[in-house]
PDB file of all heavy atoms in Angstrom:
ATOM      1  N   SER A 325     190.436 145.371 139.022  1.00  0.00           N
ATOM      2  CA  SER A 325     191.780 145.522 138.446  1.00  0.00           C
ATOM      3  C   SER A 325     192.821 146.009 139.444  1.00  0.00           C
ATOM      4  O   SER A 325     194.020 145.786 139.256  1.00  0.00           O
ATOM      5  CB  SER A 325     191.726 146.491 137.255  1.00  0.00           C
ATOM      6  OG  SER A 325     191.218 147.748 137.667  1.00  0.00           O
ATOM      7  N   SER A 326     192.394 146.673 140.516  1.00  0.00           N
ATOM      8  CA  SER A 326     193.351 147.209 141.490  1.00  0.00           C
ATOM      9  C   SER A 326     193.985 146.089 142.295  1.00  0.00           C
ATOM     10  O   SER A 326     193.400 145.021 142.483  1.00  0.00           O
ATOM     11  CB  SER A 326     192.656 148.189 142.440  1.00  0.00           C
ATOM     12  OG  SER A 326     192.078 149.255 141.724  1.00  0.00           O
ATOM     13  N   SER A 327     195.177 146.374 142.789  1.00  0.00           N
ATOM     14  CA  SER A 327     195.868 145.381 143.625  1.00  0.00           C
ATOM     15  C   SER A 327     195.361 145.414 145.059  1.00  0.00           C
ATOM     16  O   SER A 327     195.509 144.451 145.811  1.00  0.00           O
ATOM     17  CB  SER A 327     197.380 145.640 143.606  1.00  0.00           C
ATOM     18  OG  SER A 327     197.658 146.960 144.051  1.00  0.00           O
ATOM     19  N   VAL A 328     194.746 146.541 145.433  1.00  0.00           N
ATOM     20  CA  VAL A 328     194.185 146.681 146.777  1.00  0.00           C
ATOM     21  C   VAL A 328     192.744 147.168 146.639  1.00  0.00           C
ATOM     22  O   VAL A 328     192.460 148.098 145.874  1.00  0.00           O
ATOM     23  CB  VAL A 328     194.999 147.677 147.627  1.00  0.00           C
ATOM     24  CG1 VAL A 328     194.345 147.873 148.987  1.00  0.00           C
ATOM     25  CG2 VAL A 328     196.441 147.217 147.785  1.00  0.00           C
ATOM     26  N   LEU A 329     191.861 146.555 147.385  1.00  0.00           N
ATOM     27  CA  LEU A 329     190.443 146.927 147.348  1.00  0.00           C
ATOM     28  C   LEU A 329     190.181 147.983 148.409  1.00  0.00           C
ATOM     29  O   LEU A 329     190.320 147.716 149.600  1.00  0.00           O
ATOM     30  CB  LEU A 329     189.563 145.699 147.579  1.00  0.00           C
ATOM     31  CG  LEU A 329     188.058 145.901 147.432  1.00  0.00           C
ATOM     32  CD1 LEU A 329     187.694 146.216 145.980  1.00  0.00           C
ATOM     33  CD2 LEU A 329     187.303 144.671 147.906  1.00  0.00           C
ATOM     34  N   ASP A 330     189.808 149.178 147.988  1.00  0.00           N
ATOM     35  CA  ASP A 330     189.569 150.287 148.904  1.00  0.00           C
ATOM     36  C   ASP A 330     188.058 150.474 149.077  1.00  0.00           C
ATOM     37  O   ASP A 330     187.381 151.012 148.202  1.00  0.00           O
ATOM     38  CB  ASP A 330     190.213 151.557 148.357  1.00  0.00           C
ATOM     39  CG  ASP A 330     190.165 152.717 149.362  1.00  0.00           C
ATOM     40  OD1 ASP A 330     189.438 152.587 150.377  1.00  0.00           O
ATOM     41  OD2 ASP A 330     190.829 153.737 149.119  1.00  0.00           O
ATOM     42  N   LEU A 331     187.542 150.048 150.215  1.00  0.00           N
ATOM     43  CA  LEU A 331     186.104 150.111 150.461  1.00  0.00           C
ATOM     44  C   LEU A 331     185.658 151.470 150.988  1.00  0.00           C
ATOM     45  O   LEU A 331     184.481 151.649 151.311  1.00  0.00           O
ATOM     46  CB  LEU A 331     185.697 149.013 151.444  1.00  0.00           C
ATOM     47  CG  LEU A 331     185.921 147.574 150.974  1.00  0.00           C
ATOM     48  CD1 LEU A 331     185.486 146.578 152.040  1.00  0.00           C
ATOM     49  CD2 LEU A 331     185.190 147.298 149.668  1.00  0.00           C
ATOM     50  N   THR A 332     186.580 152.420 151.034  1.00  0.00           N
ATOM     51  CA  THR A 332     186.199 153.771 151.464  1.00  0.00           C
ATOM     52  C   THR A 332     185.893 154.675 150.273  1.00  0.00           C
ATOM     53  O   THR A 332     185.356 155.760 150.447  1.00  0.00           O
ATOM     54  CB  THR A 332     187.329 154.408 152.294  1.00  0.00           C
ATOM     55  OG1 THR A 332     188.501 154.554 151.469  1.00  0.00           O
ATOM     56  CG2 THR A 332     187.648 153.547 153.516  1.00  0.00           C
ATOM     57  N   LYS A 333     186.233 154.213 149.064  1.00  0.00           N
ATOM     58  CA  LYS A 333     186.025 155.016 147.856  1.00  0.00           C
ATOM     59  C   LYS A 333     184.697 154.639 147.184  1.00  0.00           C
ATOM     60  O   LYS A 333     184.479 153.470 146.868  1.00  0.00           O
ATOM     61  CB  LYS A 333     187.176 154.799 146.877  1.00  0.00           C
ATOM     62  CG  LYS A 333     188.516 155.321 147.381  1.00  0.00           C
ATOM     63  CD  LYS A 333     189.666 154.735 146.574  1.00  0.00           C
ATOM     64  CE  LYS A 333     189.505 155.020 145.085  1.00  0.00           C
ATOM     65  NZ  LYS A 333     190.679 154.493 144.309  1.00  0.00           N
ATOM     66  N   PRO A 334     183.834 155.588 146.930  1.00  0.00           N
ATOM     67  CA  PRO A 334     182.556 155.289 146.263  1.00  0.00           C
ATOM     68  C   PRO A 334     182.732 154.638 144.893  1.00  0.00           C
ATOM     69  O   PRO A 334     181.921 153.802 144.490  1.00  0.00           O
ATOM     70  CB  PRO A 334     181.887 156.666 146.139  1.00  0.00           C
ATOM     71  CG  PRO A 334     182.502 157.484 147.224  1.00  0.00           C
ATOM     72  CD  PRO A 334     183.917 157.004 147.354  1.00  0.00           C
ATOM     73  N   GLU A 335     183.816 155.001 144.150  1.00  0.00           N
ATOM     74  CA  GLU A 335     184.010 154.452 142.811  1.00  0.00           C
ATOM     75  C   GLU A 335     184.365 152.966 142.828  1.00  0.00           C
ATOM     76  O   GLU A 335     184.374 152.312 141.779  1.00  0.00           O
ATOM     77  CB  GLU A 335     185.078 155.240 142.045  1.00  0.00           C
ATOM     78  CG  GLU A 335     186.382 155.414 142.775  1.00  0.00           C
ATOM     79  CD  GLU A 335     186.458 156.708 143.574  1.00  0.00           C
ATOM     80  OE1 GLU A 335     185.395 157.177 144.059  1.00  0.00           O
ATOM     81  OE2 GLU A 335     187.567 157.236 143.713  1.00  0.00           O
ATOM     82  N   THR A 336     184.667 152.437 144.004  1.00  0.00           N
ATOM     83  CA  THR A 336     184.922 150.992 144.132  1.00  0.00           C
ATOM     84  C   THR A 336     183.633 150.205 143.916  1.00  0.00           C
ATOM     85  O   THR A 336     183.676 149.035 143.542  1.00  0.00           O
ATOM     86  CB  THR A 336     185.504 150.675 145.525  1.00  0.00           C
ATOM     87  OG1 THR A 336     186.750 151.354 145.665  1.00  0.00           O
ATOM     88  CG2 THR A 336     185.716 149.184 145.719  1.00  0.00           C
ATOM     89  N   PHE A 337     182.504 150.867 144.126  1.00  0.00           N
ATOM     90  CA  PHE A 337     181.221 150.159 144.148  1.00  0.00           C
ATOM     91  C   PHE A 337     180.399 150.391 142.881  1.00  0.00           C
ATOM     92  O   PHE A 337     180.519 151.425 142.214  1.00  0.00           O
ATOM     93  CB  PHE A 337     180.402 150.603 145.368  1.00  0.00           C
ATOM     94  CG  PHE A 337     181.090 150.333 146.676  1.00  0.00           C
ATOM     95  CD1 PHE A 337     181.867 151.313 147.283  1.00  0.00           C
ATOM     96  CD2 PHE A 337     180.982 149.087 147.298  1.00  0.00           C
ATOM     97  CE1 PHE A 337     182.507 151.061 148.486  1.00  0.00           C
ATOM     98  CE2 PHE A 337     181.622 148.839 148.498  1.00  0.00           C
ATOM     99  CZ  PHE A 337     182.392 149.823 149.094  1.00  0.00           C
ATOM    100  N   ARG A 338     179.575 149.448 142.611  1.00  0.00           N
ATOM    101  CA  ARG A 338     178.598 149.539 141.518  1.00  0.00           C
ATOM    102  C   ARG A 338     177.473 150.505 141.927  1.00  0.00           C
ATOM    103  O   ARG A 338     177.147 150.631 143.101  1.00  0.00           O
ATOM    104  CB  ARG A 338     178.052 148.129 141.255  1.00  0.00           C
ATOM    105  CG  ARG A 338     176.767 148.047 140.440  1.00  0.00           C
ATOM    106  CD  ARG A 338     175.570 147.750 141.339  1.00  0.00           C
ATOM    107  NE  ARG A 338     174.326 147.596 140.600  1.00  0.00           N
ATOM    108  CZ  ARG A 338     173.700 146.449 140.432  1.00  0.00           C
ATOM    109  NH1 ARG A 338     174.216 145.350 140.927  1.00  0.00           N
ATOM    110  NH2 ARG A 338     172.561 146.414 139.768  1.00  0.00           N
ATOM    111  N   ASP A 339     176.882 151.168 140.976  1.00  0.00           N
ATOM    112  CA  ASP A 339     175.757 152.056 141.227  1.00  0.00           C
ATOM    113  C   ASP A 339     174.525 151.199 141.504  1.00  0.00           C
ATOM    114  O   ASP A 339     173.942 150.600 140.601  1.00  0.00           O
ATOM    115  CB  ASP A 339     175.525 152.954 140.015  1.00  0.00           C
ATOM    116  CG  ASP A 339     174.436 154.003 140.259  1.00  0.00           C
ATOM    117  OD1 ASP A 339     173.716 153.876 141.278  1.00  0.00           O
ATOM    118  OD2 ASP A 339     174.299 154.918 139.431  1.00  0.00           O
ATOM    119  N   LEU A 340     174.113 151.144 142.757  1.00  0.00           N
ATOM    120  CA  LEU A 340     173.013 150.285 143.167  1.00  0.00           C
ATOM    121  C   LEU A 340     171.643 150.865 142.844  1.00  0.00           C
ATOM    122  O   LEU A 340     170.630 150.187 143.024  1.00  0.00           O
ATOM    123  CB  LEU A 340     173.111 150.000 144.671  1.00  0.00           C
ATOM    124  CG  LEU A 340     174.271 149.086 145.080  1.00  0.00           C
ATOM    125  CD1 LEU A 340     174.485 149.133 146.588  1.00  0.00           C
ATOM    126  CD2 LEU A 340     174.017 147.661 144.623  1.00  0.00           C
ATOM    127  N   SER A 341     171.591 152.060 142.332  1.00  0.00           N
ATOM    128  CA  SER A 341     170.299 152.663 141.993  1.00  0.00           C
ATOM    129  C   SER A 341     169.817 152.256 140.612  1.00  0.00           C
ATOM    130  O   SER A 341     168.696 152.603 140.225  1.00  0.00           O
ATOM    131  CB  SER A 341     170.391 154.195 142.070  1.00  0.00           C
ATOM    132  OG  SER A 341     171.231 154.691 141.032  1.00  0.00           O
ATOM    133  N   LYS A 342     170.671 151.548 139.860  1.00  0.00           N
ATOM    134  CA  LYS A 342     170.329 151.167 138.493  1.00  0.00           C
ATOM    135  C   LYS A 342     170.404 149.655 138.322  1.00  0.00           C
ATOM    136  O   LYS A 342     171.242 148.998 138.934  1.00  0.00           O
ATOM    137  CB  LYS A 342     171.293 151.832 137.500  1.00  0.00           C
ATOM    138  CG  LYS A 342     171.284 153.341 137.514  1.00  0.00           C
ATOM    139  CD  LYS A 342     172.336 153.887 136.571  1.00  0.00           C
ATOM    140  CE  LYS A 342     172.340 155.420 136.591  1.00  0.00           C
ATOM    141  NZ  LYS A 342     173.409 155.967 135.694  1.00  0.00           N
TER     142      LYS A 342
END
Side-chain angles (χ1 to χ4, degrees):
S325 58
S326 301
S327 57
V328 176
L329 186 67
D330 188 348
L331 297 180
T332 63
K333 294 164 56 177
E335 52 267 31
T336 298
F337 300 94
R338 164 256 183 109
D339 185 348
L340 290 166
S341 68
K342 299 176 181 178

